[in-house]
Amino acid sequence: MKTIDRIQGYADELVAIRRDIHAHPEIGFEEKRTSEIVARLLASWGIEVHAGLGKTGVIGILKGRGTGRTIGLRADMDALPMDEQTNLPFASKNPGKFHGCGHDGHTTILLGAARYLAETRNFNGTVIFIFQPAEEGLGGARAMLKDRLFERFPCDEIYGLHNQPDGHPGRVGIRSGPVLAGADFFDIRIVGQGSHGAMPHQSRDPVLMAFTLGQALQSIVSRNVDPLKAAVLSITQVHAGAAYNVVPAEAHLAGTIRTFDDGVRAQVGQRMREIAAGMALGFGAEIAVDIRDIFTVLENAEEQADVVRAVAGDLIGADNVVLGPQMMGSEDFADMLRAVPGAYFMLGAKAGPGLHNPGFLFDEAILPVGASLFARIAENRAA
Ligand code: NI
């Protein structure tokens, strides 16, 4: 794996930073200790620090040698609300919290780039380091945007990355256009009428309605959405009842919608409401559908995707740059990419348990690779 020599020279220090953050994971909007470490290190390298954006986010500003464009580099800092099962000596000391997605590594990668860029300042413009909180479905990017991230710290373009334990350490996957799906979460509450389980004619059975509605909703992707456009509708929760001989009065379905297209997204939501409304009428019940926009479709701009391709090709060799995957997963950097053009790329890592798995192991060998990629992007673009 090719890296910038100077960054490779302090790779051990990056490992130490990462292990410290790993041992003390904090979940979304609670990244107090983590953001303090970030702010302290940035300041120690002479980088101007602004803390408290989006509650626990941190911004670093580094001016180059002259005047030029402003490039934003972004990392996420939050852990997941889950237990770690790795047996690592530096495993999580916070029960129920685990860096199971490698954001400890992403934070360290961006710190590694910041240190190098501060020490060398081999660029003319400005680099903005964006350390965001709460990426895991809690809206950290939106919170930073609400705190006027790009009004206060305007960027010409922005870049982000995610590790991918795919068995190709240090390989870059990049594509332009839609990369990751937009996601809605939904709750459907069915209010019918309960009865004795032996006298169902006295009920308006919400359990039967939940079964029927769940089936009917699966017709949306198969019968309504253009087959050449992707969509997922997964019902992931079903709740109703507590006794063998009582028809309950209420049932609750919940799940997620994933799409790559805002039009399809709107269509799926509309069909869900229409089917629910029809079923409510047919069964004589009340059905309330609540659909919440959680993640925006992540779309890479063509120009900045080309930048990643070119910079990565120069640094790690064109053979190690591949067309990145399109996935139904989501990522809230998407909201920043709606505000400022940019690109998000995958950084391959050694194969192992997947992201969000309790046994997930971040591949520390890619810390200097990621830092070198970010640093070179900044040097090339903050011209
Ligand atoms: Ni992640």
Side-chain angles (χ1 to χ4, degrees):
M1 283 185 271
K2 297 198 191 85
T3 55
I4 296 172
D5 288 345
R6 190 180 183 108
I7 292 176
Q8 196 63 48
Y10 54 76
D12 289 352
E13 291 170 61
L14 296 181
V15 168
I17 292 168
R18 183 255 151 177
R19 291 185 180 187
D20 179 45
I21 295 173
H22 186 87
H24 302 92
E26 296 168 305
I27 59 170
F29 294 123
E30 294 176 7
E31 307 93 333
K32 194 169 171 300
R33 182 181 184 277
T34 309
S35 61
E36 279 169 10
I37 291 170
V38 166
R40 177 167 49 74
L41 287 170
L42 293 177
S44 76
W45 300 321
I47 295 171
E48 183 183 327
V49 175
H50 296 259
L53 233 86
K55 197 169 178 192
T56 41
V58 181
I59 296 293
I61 305 175
L62 181 66
K63 292 197 188 309
R65 297 176 180 182
T67 53
R69 303 167 75 240
T70 301
I71 304 305
L73 302 173
R74 170 274 198 185
D76 38 18
M77 300 190 291
D78 57 321
L80 287 159
M82 63 187 286
D83 280 315
E84 174 167 3
Q85 292 169 18
T86 64
N87 293 319
L88 290 169
F90 52 89
S92 171
K93 294 185 196 304
N94 300 341
K97 296 171 189 177
F98 170 41
H99 269 295
C101 199
H103 298 184
D104 50 344
H106 302 164
T107 297
T108 307
I109 282 171
L110 188 52
L111 286 169
R115 173 174 168 180
Y116 165 85
L117 291 165
E119 287 174 356
T120 54
R121 297 202 195 221
N122 194 18
F123 57 95
N124 284 322
T126 302
V127 182
I128 308 282
F129 303 101
I130 303 167
F131 292 88
Q132 82 145 75
E135 191 283 323
E136 297 287 0
L138 296 171
R142 289 178 187 179
M144 289 190 97
L145 292 167
K146 204 162 158 251
D147 278 355
R148 302 175 62 250
L149 169 64
F150 292 124
E151 287 83 13
R152 291 173 63 190
F153 310 101
C155 293
D156 291 305
E157 51 191 47
I158 54 174
Y159 296 88
L161 65 76
H162 206 291
N163 79 97
Q164 195 179 24
D166 58 1
H168 298 283
R171 191 173 81 171
V172 166
I174 177 75
R175 68 159 58 227
S176 56
V179 178
L180 295 168
D184 294 304
F185 291 166
F186 63 81
D187 286 278
I188 300 174
R189 292 187 190 281
I190 303 169
V191 181
Q193 183 172 305
S195 73
H196 194 295
M199 301 165 193
H201 60 291
Q202 294 175 352
S203 77
R204 288 195 297 280
D205 183 357
V207 175
L208 176 62
M209 289 181 230
F211 291 160
T212 311
L213 180 58
Q215 293 265 13
L217 294 180
Q218 292 308 329
S219 72
I220 296 172
V221 173
S222 71
R223 302 291 90 176
N224 299 136
V225 173
D226 179 343
L228 296 180
K229 292 186 175 168
V232 171
L233 192 163
S234 288
I235 297 168
T236 56
Q237 300 181 44
V238 184
H239 307 278
Y244 289 101
N245 54 359
V246 178
V247 174
E250 296 186 19
H252 172 204
L253 300 175
T256 185
I257 305 162
R258 305 290 167 119
T259 57
F260 281 113
D261 177 295
D262 287 343
V264 174
R265 182 177 199 160
Q267 181 192 19
V268 172
Q270 187 190 333
R271 286 298 296 143
M272 286 177 70
R273 291 193 179 90
E274 288 169 355
I275 291 170
M279 200 158 288
L281 199 64
F283 281 101
E286 282 174 39
I287 303 181
V289 180
D290 177 29
I291 303 174
R292 299 180 301 282
D293 172 333
I294 306 295
F295 289 104
T296 302
V297 180
L298 187 143
E299 292 193 51
N300 281 343
E302 202 145 331
E303 184 185 345
Q304 284 76 27
D306 284 342
V307 168
V308 171
R309 220 171 276 124
V311 168
D314 277 351
L315 186 75
I316 61 178
D319 290 354
N320 288 317
V321 183
V322 299
L323 181 66
Q326 237 181 349
M327 289 181 284
M328 280 293 176
S330 299
E331 156 68 57
D332 83 357
F333 186 53
D335 289 295
M336 295 189 189
L337 287 174
R338 287 276 164 113
V340 178
Y344 179 80
F345 58 96
M346 301 298 167
L347 180 58
K350 71 183 175 202
L355 303 170
H356 295 211
N357 183 298
F360 171 74
L361 301 168
F362 182 83
D363 182 0
E364 291 172 334
I366 67 170
L367 291 172
V369 185
S372 298
L373 288 164
F374 269 159
R376 282 283 188 261
I377 289 170
E379 287 179 337
N380 272 269
R381 300 298 284 180

